[in-house]
Amino acid sequence: MKNTRGKQKILLVDGDGERRRQMTEVLQSVFHVIPAFDGEMAVDVLHSRQDFAAIVLQCRLFDFSGFDVMGFLHTNRSLVGIPVIAMGGAEDELKALSLGAVAFVQQPKEPYLISYQIQNLVGLVWSDRDCDMLTGVLQWEPFLQKCRDILEQSERERRPEQWAMVFLNVDRFKVFNDLFGRTMGDQLLRNLAARLIVMKGVHCVGRVGGDRFVLLCRMEELELGRFRQLGPELMRRLHLKYGLHICCGIYEIDDLTIPVGEICDRAQIAQETISGRSDQSVVLYDEELRRSLRWEQEVVSQMYEALEQGQFQAYLQPIFSLSGNAPVSAEALVRWIHPGRGVIPPNQFIPIFERNGFITRLDQYIWEKVFQYLAEFKAEGYPDLTITANMSRLDIYNTDVCNQLTSLAKKYDVSPSAFRIEVTESAYMDDPQQLLDMTKQLNAAGFAVLIDDFGSGYSSLNMLMDMPVSTLKLDMSLVRSVGSDERANCVVNSILRMAKWLEMGVVAEGVETQAQIDYLRAIGCDRVQGYYFSRPIPKWEFLRLLENYRDTSVREKPPVFDRSADTGEVWGAVTAYDRMMRGRMDAAALYEQSGDMAEVLCVNDSYYRLMESSPELLFRSSQLATAWLMEEDRPLFLQALDAAAQTGERQELVVRRYMDADRTKSLMVSVCYMGRKDNRKLFLALFRDISLLKLTLSAERIQETASAPAAPPRALGCGSCHKVLIVEDNQVNRLVLRKILSQDYSILEAPNGKVGLDMLHSEEHIAVVLLDIIMPIMDGYEFLRKKTQDPSLRGIPVLVLSQSESRDSEEKTIRMGASGFVRKPYDPENLRKTLDALVKDN
């Protein structure tokens, strides 16, 4: 952390030379300042040293911006713990903080004033940095220092202890967070840290970041079986049913003089070899991994020279149409043609480039090659040909990607629609909002976006609703198993049917056999890619392939996804419900019905949480909508589907779902009809857990209520008590409120604001109104506006009940005359107290 004079090091990155000089002059009295004039220079410095107390970073830099530098920090474990103090205009603050800056200094200000602010901020940041605030274990830098002290003392005293470093993380922690919520995720990390601290042989525990921990241990005392039991043990303590997998890499320290950071790297390399493999939890760093490390060092030493010399080549793998039996497009795949080693496969260098950040330069190089190819193919008479290229996870943090691609399209006179971009499903899991923002920019500029490896991870309805993509590329491992593996058949079949409903294209990758071709053709998948047709080939060989099919009329014109355009009634209906719920949609599933069979096509994150399921479990078990329902409830669910299709109106009923052999949940289901194709119908089903309410509501009763003439309102509950009018369109919420309040109040109900206003005029002595905001026909805002305009109604207090977490919504309703605001889900006791106070005051 300190130089020879004991000063902390600071990396100062600022493109303004005079300001950088003045700030350096002031800061040098306290810190050892390393200056850098742009983002690329900063990254080069960070590659060579990581012992900075802080990085002072100007947001707006030429070419490689401060935001890009912060994106790079996210990809490097040894750098992610360095605090960043960002500088910029007011418009930069939110973005800088969202990318991980610990503080923001607003400009313009005098450089001397900024310097003194930075001194104070660094002092605050480091005043309590030893311990991680969430888990209580050491943070990264203090952990390294403590390990150095322990190992140096062992070396000096020549003690015989054999030390080991353990690098540990929770596999797919993002999925756990999505299923059970961030609060439960934080609790999991706290419990995990507590278990690690007390494990036998563990002397020091640190948190690298997120779900990653490092442990310095005595190897002879370690009980490796304890690591294998951690996942199930934590799930028992949290009372959750989930296959939590914790994977550990262990490096036995045979040389105490090796830098601690390098020791941790070796443990992490071991851990990464079993990440995602549920069959293995612990792995030791061995000779094979040593060779891997030496190879990585060799790759890093040669990568810049290889780029300059053009050793990286863009090969093209054709995408064929099964119906036309001809190539319609291609995917660009990088190959390293090494002068001494020959062709180096991508899996031997791409992971290394992703770790060290070089992947962004390689991607940009391949993108330009693709535009060159497209220009050449256009000149050869193939103007409609499209080529897809990959975008790495790190690219999504580069705010200039869209401008770079647009400039290349203009430079080579190529339509943006000819260049398509592939992003992986896992990139969405890492940072959904960042990827969504990037995708919207690309679509607006005319570039189509594809989701690669779809079906391999957390393929949920949320992702499909959020991401404006035109095509899904089926994960290669699924495609290779179709026809022989029932789960793969289910997943692929469901994705195909769902994509057709949602007007998305599908490409099957990894096709190698005639049996796979036959199966994909049978289920309607027309676009395929794989060695069955062609391996990735050089440009000249691909051009010769096109010549062989020149007379074929099949052409690929991929749509660019545009939510404002007519992309089908299904998207309109689904997004309408999402807007209605203000992005907090209930557990939701898309069902396709044919005859008496209704099958799950896709579900959202909330569905997995409610049903205590996961993507793996969903497709291993029956996809029939009725399979998990109690037998007497199955016909009721199917009747609700029929009623929704016949009337076009939402149907509601209560069903009981088996969770396991001896446990059920009572679920309120809202069934919404989406559309029809041939003899198939599509439905959106929304689920809520009402097990604690013990309510019953049959499909027959709902249909009778919907078809019966409107009856005069009838008060329920305590007939002699104060009247409360509940204005709420959701029947579940009305039932919940009725159950909470019926002992103390006389309850009237209205399904929307218009009916509520009519009841205020017709009913006497209503003491208070409970008002929802989002409703059909007349929403809560309009209800408040009209009530305020009517002098006879102004004195009746209104308590607003809303799911919105926005303060704006609360302030707006208060300005419009509401007497109070309660957020859902509400605590029954607090709700009663608030209501009692309003009634008393009135």
Side-chain angles (χ1 to χ4, degrees):
M1 283 300 304
K2 298 180 180 181
N3 66 3
T4 54
R5 286 176 286 181
K7 293 180 180 178
Q8 292 179 308
K9 294 187 182 71
I10 282 184
L11 175 60
L12 173 62
V13 190
D14 193 342
D16 186 318
E18 181 59 23
R19 183 172 59 211
R20 187 176 64 248
R21 184 192 65 77
Q22 294 180 22
M23 289 178 62
T24 301
E25 184 178 300
V26 175
L27 292 170
Q28 285 282 27
S29 63
V30 179
F31 305 105
H32 176 54
V33 180
I34 308 294
F37 56 79
D38 64 12
E40 287 201 31
M41 183 177 179
V43 169
D44 288 341
V45 171
L46 290 166
H47 275 309
S48 61
R49 63 195 312 167
Q50 294 88 37
D51 56 344
F52 290 103
I55 301 172
V56 181
L57 184 60
Q58 175 68 33
C59 292
R60 303 286 175 174
L61 296 168
F62 180 73
D63 197 15
F64 199 86
S65 73
F67 299 127
D68 298 326
V69 174
M70 283 186 269
F72 164 74
L73 295 174
H74 283 297
T75 68
N76 192 308
R77 178 183 55 75
S78 61
L79 300 175
V80 73
I82 303 176
V84 173
I85 299 171
M87 303 185 297
E91 68 278 5
D92 300 324
E93 182 172 6
L94 180 60
K95 184 170 185 179
L97 294 175
S98 69
L99 287 174
V102 299
F104 185 86
V105 177
Q106 190 168 320
Q107 296 172 320
K109 287 181 181 176
E110 287 295 326
Y112 295 105
L113 180 59
I114 295 175
S115 301
Y116 288 119
Q117 276 189 277
I118 289 169
Q119 286 184 30
N120 294 334
L121 286 169
V122 172
L124 288 172
V125 167
W126 281 96
S127 63
D128 190 26
R129 282 186 59 87
D130 279 4
C131 291
D132 173 58
M133 291 180 63
L134 177 66
T135 62
V137 301
L138 289 174
Q139 296 202 60
W140 174 242
E141 287 294 342
F143 172 81
L144 291 181
Q145 187 57 53
K146 186 168 184 179
C147 289
R148 290 189 195 102
D149 294 342
I150 292 173
L151 297 180
E152 286 173 2
Q153 185 175 353
S154 292
E155 176 70 9
R156 286 194 304 270
E157 297 178 0
R158 300 185 181 278
R159 290 188 299 183
E161 294 104 335
Q162 183 169 3
W163 295 96
M165 189 70 72
V166 179
F167 191 98
L168 171 150
N169 83 334
V170 180
D171 232 4
R172 298 179 68 193
F173 181 62
K174 168 70 167 58
V175 175
F176 183 91
N177 261 344
D178 286 344
L179 290 177
F180 302 107
R182 185 172 295 276
T183 300
M184 187 61 75
D186 288 346
Q187 186 60 47
L188 169 66
L189 295 179
R190 283 191 289 267
N191 287 6
L192 174 58
R195 298 304 303 155
L196 296 176
I197 291 171
V198 299
M199 283 182 67
K200 187 178 180 181
V202 174
H203 275 241
C204 183
V205 180
R207 185 182 179 201
V208 181
D211 59 311
R212 298 171 299 172
F213 294 85
V214 278
L215 295 73
L216 181 65
C217 317
R218 279 201 177 95
M219 190 66 194
E220 61 186 19
E221 298 179 11
L222 269 186
E223 298 175 357
L224 299 186
R226 296 289 295 146
F227 289 114
R228 299 184 183 95
Q229 298 164 13
L230 275 174
E233 182 181 322
L234 289 169
M235 290 302 91
R236 285 194 298 272
R237 292 174 66 88
L238 294 172
H239 306 290
L240 296 176
K241 291 193 173 183
Y242 180 76
L244 189 74
H245 180 226
I246 295 176
C247 46
C248 313
I250 300 176
Y251 173 67
E252 297 184 58
I253 305 172
D254 53 7
D255 182 353
L256 295 177
T257 63
I258 298 175
V260 177
E262 187 175 331
I263 290 172
C264 293
D265 286 340
R266 296 184 183 186
Q268 183 181 7
I269 289 171
Q271 179 270 323
E272 288 173 349
T273 64
I274 59 170
S275 180
R277 289 181 51 184
S278 58
D279 62 327
Q280 193 171 354
S281 298
V282 180
V283 65
L284 295 174
Y285 184 93
D286 57 14
E287 186 56 39
E288 183 178 344
L289 287 173
R290 291 179 195 274
R291 287 195 296 270
S292 173
L293 183 60
R294 285 197 296 270
W295 168 246
E296 179 166 346
Q297 292 169 341
E298 183 178 343
V299 166
V300 170
S301 69
Q302 299 183 39
M303 59 190 186
Y304 287 100
E305 182 181 4
L307 189 65
E308 292 171 2
Q309 294 180 355
Q311 295 176 20
F312 296 109
Q313 295 292 316
Y315 276 38
L316 300 174
Q317 185 170 34
I319 297 173
F320 272 72
S321 164
L322 292 182
S323 59
N325 196 33
V328 289
S329 59
E331 178 183 0
L333 299 166
V334 65
R335 294 293 184 266
W336 187 350
I337 315 299
H338 192 278
R341 292 178 173 270
V343 179
I344 302 176
N347 62 355
Q348 293 186 18
F349 60 87
I350 292 294
I352 299 172
F353 293 168
E354 287 177 337
R355 285 196 294 271
N356 65 25
F358 184 73
I359 191 68
T360 57
R361 293 195 179 189
L362 181 60
D363 284 346
Q364 291 165 14
Y365 175 84
I366 295 299
W367 295 343
E368 179 148 14
K369 285 291 183 184
V370 170
F371 276 103
Q372 290 176 6
Y373 291 0
L374 287 168
E376 293 177 30
F377 295 152
K378 180 180 175 182
E380 292 289 336
Y382 301 100
D384 296 316
L385 185 74
T386 63
I387 300 178
T388 65
N390 291 289
M391 177 182 287
S392 72
R393 299 182 189 187
L394 188 54
D395 290 321
I396 70 172
Y397 294 101
N398 181 359
T399 57
D400 202 40
V401 161
C402 190
N403 290 334
Q404 291 173 355
L405 294 175
T406 302
S407 297
L408 288 171
K410 291 178 180 177
K411 177 180 178 180
Y412 291 99
D413 190 25
V414 170
S415 169
S417 63
F419 182 91
R420 305 197 294 172
I421 300 143
E422 291 189 16
V423 295
T424 61
E425 182 183 337
S426 55
Y428 174 85
M429 294 163 59
D430 288 344
D431 197 333
Q433 190 57 50
Q434 188 72 23
L435 184 57
L436 176 59
D437 293 342
M438 173 69 72
T439 307
K440 286 180 177 177
Q441 290 180 32
L442 293 168
N443 272 252
F447 297 100
V449 178
L450 295 75
I451 292 288
D452 196 13
D453 299 335
F454 190 80
S456 62
Y458 200 33
S459 310
S460 79
L461 183 59
N462 293 70
M463 183 171 71
L464 295 177
M465 288 175 64
D466 290 343
M467 287 287 293
V469 298
S470 63
T471 302
L472 307 176
K473 297 195 74 175
L474 293 175
D475 180 60
M476 192 178 297
S477 63
L478 287 172
V479 175
R480 286 176 176 167
S481 301
V482 293
S484 58
D485 181 84
E486 189 58 34
R487 177 184 175 273
N489 292 348
C490 288
V491 175
V492 171
N493 205 335
S494 294
I495 292 172
L496 259 292
R497 287 185 290 160
M498 177 188 61
K500 289 177 181 178
W501 281 107
L502 304 181
E503 299 187 352
M504 289 179 166
V506 175
V507 176
E509 293 187 283
V511 175
E512 297 178 345
T513 68
Q514 183 63 51
Q516 293 165 355
I517 292 290
D518 294 341
Y519 182 83
L520 292 168
R521 182 181 280 119
I523 63 174
C525 182
D526 187 59
R527 299 294 192 260
V528 295
Q529 173 185 354
Y531 277 36
Y532 181 86
F533 289 100
S534 174
R535 70 188 192 287
I537 53 180
K539 177 193 67 176
W540 64 268
E541 194 172 336
F542 181 77
L543 186 58
R544 189 172 65 183
L545 179 71
L546 292 178
E547 288 291 333
N548 294 337
Y549 290 92
R550 183 178 282 275
D551 296 332
T552 306
S553 60
V554 177
R555 292 182 177 181
E556 180 83 336
K557 291 187 177 180
V560 174
F561 193 99
D562 182 0
R563 281 280 162 83
S564 64
D566 179 16
T567 56
E569 295 180 2
V570 173
W571 272 126
V574 173
T575 52
Y577 277 107
D578 193 45
R579 285 195 301 271
M580 185 178 75
M581 299 303 296
R582 288 291 191 268
R584 293 168 61 94
M585 185 185 282
D586 295 336
L590 280 178
Y591 289 103
E592 183 184 76
Q593 184 189 31
S594 179
D596 292 334
M597 305 283 283
E599 293 187 59
V600 177
L601 295 185
C602 196
V603 302
N604 71 348
D605 303 347
S606 298
Y607 180 96
Y608 288 124
R609 286 194 293 270
L610 178 64
M611 305 304 182
E612 302 173 21
S613 184
S614 66
E616 293 83 3
L617 291 173
L618 178 66
F619 288 103
R620 283 188 189 138
S621 57
S622 175
Q623 291 174 256
L624 288 178
T626 55
W628 292 88
L629 301 182
M630 292 185 68
E631 189 170 353
E632 54 266 43
D633 293 343
R634 294 172 186 175
L636 301 182
F637 184 82
L638 294 174
Q639 289 169 26
L641 296 182
D642 292 338
Q646 290 169 14
T647 64
E649 297 179 357
R650 183 173 61 182
Q651 303 294 309
E652 292 183 327
L653 73 158
V654 171
V655 296
R656 291 156 296 175
R657 185 188 193 276
Y658 288 111
M659 303 308 295
D660 48 44
D662 56 359
R663 187 167 60 97
T664 62
K665 274 187 180 180
S666 293
L667 304 172
M668 173 63 80
V669 189
S670 295
V671 177
C672 315
Y673 176 63
M674 296 284 138
R676 178 192 303 267
K677 288 185 180 180
D678 302 323
N679 65 336
R680 294 172 295 120
K681 303 169 193 170
L682 189 70
F683 297 89
L684 176 68
L686 308 176
F687 300 86
R688 286 193 184 180
D689 185 2
I690 57 169
S691 303
L692 297 179
L693 299 175
K694 296 181 172 59
L695 302 171
T696 56
L697 189 64
S698 69
E700 290 93 337
R701 176 183 160 191
I702 293 170
Q703 287 180 262
E704 290 169 5
T705 303
S707 59
R714 181 172 62 89
L716 304 169
C718 174
S720 60
C721 299
H722 290 291
K723 287 183 182 178
V724 171
L725 172 61
I726 300 172
V727 185
E728 161 73 81
D729 69 313
N730 190 290
Q731 194 167 3
V732 179
N733 287 339
R734 296 203 302 271
L735 287 167
V736 171
L737 290 168
R738 188 194 309 164
K739 192 168 186 70
I740 292 172
L741 303 173
S742 58
Q743 288 186 349
D744 302 312
Y745 289 96
S746 178
I747 309 296
L748 290 165
E749 298 179 14
N752 57 64
K754 183 178 184 306
V755 176
L757 276 178
D758 292 342
M759 292 177 69
L760 279 182
H761 284 109
S762 62
E763 287 286 326
E764 295 182 353
H765 309 303
I766 292 179
V768 69
V769 177
L770 298 183
L771 178 67
D772 187 30
I773 291 295
I774 310 301
M775 295 181 291
I777 303 178
M778 181 189 292
D779 64 16
Y781 295 124
E782 183 68 7
F783 176 92
L784 284 170
R785 187 180 68 80
K786 292 195 172 185
K787 174 184 170 295
T788 304
Q789 292 173 349
D790 191 330
S792 66
L793 304 179
R794 286 177 189 164
I796 304 174
V798 176
L799 180 61
V800 173
L801 309 174
S802 175
Q803 283 188 335
S804 173
E805 296 180 352
S806 168
R807 296 289 301 178
D808 295 341
S809 178
E810 179 177 355
E811 292 170 1
K812 181 177 179 180
T813 57
I814 299 300
R815 287 197 306 269
M816 296 181 73
S819 304
F821 190 98
V822 175
R823 286 185 171 81
K824 304 175 186 176
Y826 25 74
D827 176 75
E829 188 61 32
N830 289 338
L831 177 62
R832 276 195 295 267
K833 287 181 180 178
T834 305
L835 191 58
D836 291 344
L838 285 176
V839 171
K840 182 179 179 181
D841 293 342
N842 195 41

